[in-house]
Amino acid sequence: QVALVESGGGLVQAGGSLTLSCVGSGRALNWLTMAWFRQAPGKAREFVAAKRWNIVTMDYSDSVWGRFTMSEDIDKNAVYLQMNDLKPEDTAVYYCAAGTSNSPSVTQAPEGYDDWGQGTQVTVSS
């Protein structure tokens, strides 16, 4: 089991940028599949990005591809989500998640993850 703590959310104008951080404790994150999900009010939790264990490239949802970048810092046991060109429809609570699957059909669904952070609110004004 790994404990995850997100930070970096806030209020930003459309077109702006934010960087979310997720710091883990209890296990090394680079040995896990790590992902970012988001959930807007009244909507289901939505896949945003993932770094599958033992895979070099990142996976992104179509809605954020080209605007968001996920990265990791092994020394800090952390993953990040750099969000550029933010849009009002990006407004949501963003969650960091950790799991052990390497299959894209699993890693792009919330059910594929065992541990979750508490979430951080991102609000994009128009």
Side-chain angles (χ1 to χ4, degrees):
Q1 193 172 14
V2 59
L4 302 170
V5 178
E6 302 101 332
S7 61
L11 173 64
V12 64
Q13 288 189 330
S17 299
L18 281 174
T19 299
L20 305 183
S21 301
C22 172
V23 178
S25 60
R27 289 188 68 180
L29 299 188
N30 61 303
W31 289 104
L32 299 170
T33 288
M34 299 299 300
W36 289 95
F37 285 78
R38 65 187 183 186
Q39 189 165 19
K43 295 189 176 181
R45 194 163 293 192
E46 174 192 21
F47 170 76
V48 174
K51 183 186 182 309
R52 287 178 281 148
W53 174 77
N54 210 30
I55 301 294
V56 175
T57 57
M58 308 294 184
D59 303 321
Y60 298 95
S61 69
D62 290 342
S63 61
V64 307
W65 191 87
R67 300 188 298 122
F68 290 12
T69 302
M70 183 175 180
S71 61
E72 67 176 350
D73 186 326
I74 296 175
D75 291 338
K76 295 184 178 179
N77 206 35
V79 294
Y80 305 94
L81 187 68
Q82 171 70 42
M83 305 184 294
N84 297 328
D85 189 23
L86 282 161
K87 304 176 181 181
E89 51 264 41
D90 294 319
T91 295
V93 177
Y94 283 71
Y95 296 91
C96 176
T100 56
S101 175
N102 229 13
S103 170
S105 62
V106 175
T107 58
Q108 296 189 17
E111 295 76 16
Y113 294 87
D114 304 309
D115 299 299
W116 293 83
Q118 82 288 355
T120 185
Q121 176 71 47
V122 172
T123 303
V124 184
S125 63
S126 57

